[in-house]
Amino acid sequence: MDTQPDHRWTLRELAAIAGVSPYHLQRIFTSAYGLSPAKYHKQLRLKKADAMLRTGQSPKRVCENLGFSSPPSFAREYRRVFGVSPSQAKDR
């Protein structure tokens, strides 16, 4: 996930890569990282989004490139984590 945060990883796909069942992956991943694989992946995407915004990319383009379902959902998640809107982050 770290090398391809823009890929839409599924639990089944990650489990196949790790060679374990999806249930086992969920359990050991959460134990090791304190987050489910889905929440960890969302954090990676938001960190990459922040970096992209800081280089001047538009929030709409960042949203599309990182596979967020819609600009409003991206903006809501971004604001929840960083305390500012994606547009405000871009302008910083």
Side-chain angles (χ1 to χ4, degrees), residues 1-2 14 18 24-41 43-44 47:
M1 284 190 285
D2 290 338
L14 292 169
H24 187 65
L25 176 67
Q26 179 85 19
R27 208 169 44 80
I28 61 174
F29 192 98
T30 301
S31 176
Y33 290 95
L35 297 168
S36 70
K39 287 183 181 179
Y40 180 84
H41 185 230
Q43 279 191 350
L44 287 176
K47 286 179 185 177

Side-chain angles (χ1 to χ4, degrees), residues 46-89:
L46 287 168
K47 286 179 185 177
K48 184 168 183 179
D50 188 53
M52 292 170 75
L53 290 167
R54 291 176 185 273
T55 64
Q57 292 190 44
S58 75
K60 182 179 178 186
R61 182 172 179 174
V62 171
C63 175
E64 291 169 354
N65 287 344
L66 294 179
F68 286 92
S69 59
S70 69
S73 68
F74 166 59
R76 186 173 41 256
E77 286 296 319
Y78 189 90
R79 182 184 296 273
R80 183 183 61 76
V81 171
F82 295 103
V84 296
S85 73
S87 296
Q88 289 170 321

